[in-house]
Amino acid sequence: MTTSDTLEAKPFGGHKPAPATLDFLATRHGLLIDGVWTESAKGERIETVDPATGLVIASVAAGDASDIDRAVAAARRAFEGAWGRTTGAERSRLLTKLAQLIARDADLFFELEILDNGMPAALSRMIVDGAVDLIDYYAGAARRIEGTTTASPEHLVAFGGEALTYTTREAVGVVGQIIPWNVPLSMACLKLAPALAAGCAVVLKPAEETPLSTLHLGKLIQEAGFPNGVVNVVNGRGETAGAALVAHPDVDKIAFTGSTEVGRLIVREAATTMKKVSLELGGKSPVVVFPDADLDLAGPGVAMATFFLQGQNCMAGTRIFVHEKIHDALVERIKAFAGAMKVGHGLDPTNQFGPLISAGHRARVLQRIEEAKASGAELVLGGAPLDRPGFFVPPTIFTRTRPDMKVWREEIFGPVMSIQTFGDEDLDALARRVNDSPFGLSGSVWTRDLSTAHRMAARIRSGHVSINCHGAVASNIPFGGYKESGWGREFGREGLDLYLETKAVTARL
């Protein structure tokens, strides 16, 4: 029996993946370094698990510091060689080709994201389509990297001379990129596309839990025609490969998405070599529902703000402020919507709610739920693990929470909603409660009153606020956090700026 036959015999939630997916899973996956797929220096490997079943579905090479050294050296050679002299038009053509290849292999990516991460089918399809759009967006941006002209220093002109002063935008150099496990393909493309548009060379470390779609993306990068060494993919654990990448003296910039705790460690280490850092970190996003809100819209909208991707997303709206006049009515709508969500394997397109990423993460989320119960929060839905294979925790809702409770203050990264009420206090008083958090990544306001909506949005200290919806992100909309939610903005023009330096040139004529 072949490895592919063995995989095919596994249940996959009762659904059979496509032959191309089974063949991919059966492949012995390595590291992409300088255009060659290779084993790690020590021969170590990591097993990948389907979180909806708990079964091992693939094995990938696990790199360490020596593999990072090889990858960084390859990226440096590429950056200082022909790649560093490419035009924006050339980079644009390569990115356009890559977008076309992702679209061609959309079905494979669709199943890999489900099997590796556990996400529902509808979300996986959206992620794959979004990856194509994101690469296309930065393919266009590569042609629009421009400098400016400005007035020359007065002291040069004052002595009878003439001068020309202009600026150019140049690639930062060799970039280390570390991505999380919650939306693997999206995160890989969000990091790679602007870096490649700018002309950087990259060492990319996927999350050890979800490397599969990034590995196939690496193959498509080669097929698109990017030169060897421009993109290197080194799987590995954070404490080995990730730490080595951050500490490497020949890396010019680190781009990281993940927890605030790890972000702090990266900042401390990066300070020793003064490399540039951009960080998209944790969140505990507020959702403010005013008494005039459309409850038919807000009920499912607020529910999905929390339970989208099982709450495993940094912009999840998990702190719900609802006016006391509509509290009971809104909670009933949220409870009805969340309680009706069909739970199961993402390969079943009728399922809307998947597992958490791992057994360890499920245990952490369940511990937070028990702490909330013990602290006096009122449980109105969920709150216990599901008795089935995989790492499932159902949608969980707490009311009567207090500002001092961990369930209210700390990021859980799971399907746990906390609700508080507010009265007729003015917007400034309400905003003080809303902003009483170390995080400031996202948020939303729900009301029919246009003035209230914009006045409240202006008072929320977050990098991204939506009105009568939540988490409205797109390729052209900058996204990032205030406070402990990170440094810098991704997506949009601002995402490209993260990978560019500005040089001023003055010539006395």
Side-chain angles (χ1 to χ4, degrees):
M1 181 178 287
T2 67
T3 306
S4 181
D5 291 333
T6 303
L7 284 168
E8 193 168 348
K10 291 183 177 181
F12 291 112
H15 296 269
K16 181 180 175 182
T21 304
L22 292 172
D23 288 343
F24 183 89
L25 296 177
T27 301
R28 186 175 175 85
H29 298 288
L31 315 176
L32 177 59
I33 298 177
D34 204 13
V36 177
W37 291 93
T38 179
E39 291 290 333
S40 63
K42 293 183 179 178
E44 294 182 354
R45 302 191 68 77
I46 296 174
E47 290 183 331
T48 297
V49 172
D50 173 5
T53 64
L55 298 175
V56 174
I57 57 172
S59 169
V60 302
D64 63 7
S66 60
D67 301 297
I68 291 293
D69 279 341
R70 291 191 292 141
V72 171
R76 179 59 64 186
R77 287 192 298 272
F79 180 71
E80 294 183 353
W83 179 248
R85 297 187 291 275
T86 55
T87 65
E90 290 174 290
R91 299 193 297 274
S92 177
R93 284 190 288 270
L94 288 168
L95 285 166
T96 298
K97 177 63 174 176
L98 178 58
Q100 293 168 347
L101 293 173
I102 296 172
R104 182 198 70 188
D105 290 359
D107 288 344
L108 174 58
F109 280 116
F110 165 74
E111 292 196 338
L112 290 179
E113 290 290 89
I114 291 170
L115 293 171
D116 214 10
N117 167 272
M119 66 180 63
L123 175 57
S124 182
R125 187 65 70 186
M126 184 175 71
I127 292 295
V128 177
D129 291 345
V132 175
D133 181 73
L134 192 62
I135 300 290
D136 264 335
Y137 178 87
Y138 283 108
R143 295 176 179 268
R144 297 191 298 273
I145 299 173
E146 300 170 342
T148 62
T149 58
T150 189
S152 297
E154 289 187 6
H155 68 272
L156 291 180
V157 179
F159 291 99
E162 295 181 62
L164 171 67
T165 297
Y166 59 91
T167 65
T168 61
R169 307 300 307 280
E170 299 179 356
V172 165
V174 173
V175 179
Q177 300 181 325
I178 303 173
I179 60 174
W181 46 256
N182 58 338
V183 277
L185 179 62
S186 179
M187 288 291 102
C189 292
L190 179 57
K191 292 287 189 288
L192 283 170
L196 296 176
C200 295
V202 176
V203 178
L204 177 66
K205 194 203 87 65
E208 52 262 43
E209 298 91 345
T210 55
L212 299 182
S213 58
T214 305
L215 291 171
H216 189 60
L217 182 63
K219 295 179 185 298
L220 297 192
I221 286 168
Q222 290 182 291
E223 186 178 345
F226 285 86
N228 292 343
V230 171
V231 176
N232 306 271
V233 180
V234 181
N235 314 307
R237 295 178 174 83
E239 61 270 23
T240 51
L245 187 57
V246 172
H248 203 289
D250 207 23
V251 170
D252 300 301
K253 172 184 168 62
I254 291 292
F256 171 76
T257 297
S259 71
T260 297
E261 179 184 9
V262 175
R264 290 191 186 98
L265 296 175
I266 288 173
V267 169
R268 294 189 189 106
E269 180 59 47
T272 63
T273 53
M274 294 301 291
K275 56 172 58 75
K276 296 181 181 298
V277 176
S278 56
L279 304 167
E280 199 266 274
L281 305 176
K284 191 75 175 177
S285 297
V287 175
V288 186
V289 188
F290 286 92
D292 66 336
D294 179 346
L295 295 187
D296 290 336
L297 178 68
V302 173
M304 288 304 293
T306 298
F307 301 127
F308 174 84
L309 192 57
Q310 300 80 252
Q312 297 175 126
N313 71 93
C314 54
M315 60 184 174
T318 52
R319 290 188 300 135
I320 315 302
F321 295 84
V322 56
H323 195 278
E324 58 194 11
K325 293 178 181 177
I326 60 166
H327 172 270
D328 292 350
L330 180 63
V331 170
E332 281 305 310
R333 280 172 167 80
I334 296 171
K335 180 180 177 182
F337 181 91
M341 294 178 79
K342 188 179 176 186
V343 179
H345 202 293
L347 288 180
D348 181 344
T350 67
N351 288 332
Q352 304 160 290
F353 191 92
L356 300 186
I357 189 64
S358 67
H361 186 53
R362 179 182 60 177
R364 288 188 291 272
V365 171
L366 290 172
Q367 180 181 353
R368 292 301 178 85
I369 289 172
E370 292 305 314
E371 290 171 351
K373 294 176 184 177
S375 66
E378 182 177 321
L379 179 68
V380 298
L381 184 70
L386 298 179
D387 185 15
R388 59 187 298 165
F391 313 126
F392 291 90
V393 174
T396 298
I397 301 172
F398 285 103
T399 59
R400 300 184 184 277
T401 57
R402 301 187 309 272
D404 63 312
M405 291 180 175
K406 286 184 177 181
V407 72
W408 181 260
R409 297 202 63 81
E410 298 183 6
E411 183 177 40
I412 296 174
F413 221 64
V416 183
M417 175 185 289
S418 300
I419 300 175
Q420 290 186 13
T421 60
F422 65 94
D424 293 328
E425 62 256 47
D426 62 34
L427 292 188
D428 288 331
L430 178 57
R432 283 191 289 272
R433 292 178 59 190
V434 169
N435 294 326
D436 181 21
S437 171
F439 301 109
L441 188 57
S442 189
S444 59
V445 179
W446 301 76
T447 176
R448 288 184 171 96
D449 187 303
L450 190 62
S451 177
T452 298
H454 289 289
R455 291 171 63 208
M456 193 67 214
R459 286 164 169 77
I460 295 177
R461 295 286 296 166
S462 291
H464 186 271
V465 180
S466 305
I467 296 172
N468 292 323
C469 55
H470 189 89
V473 297
S475 298
N476 61 308
I477 301 173
F479 182 84
Y482 288 19
K483 298 185 281 186
E484 293 184 15
S485 287
W487 293 349
R489 296 293 181 269
E490 295 185 304
F491 295 104
R493 182 178 60 189
E494 290 83 352
L496 182 64
D497 287 341
L498 292 178
Y499 298 95
L500 292 168
E501 299 272 25
T502 299
K503 176 183 286 183
V505 179
T506 295
R508 185 167 184 174
L509 306 178

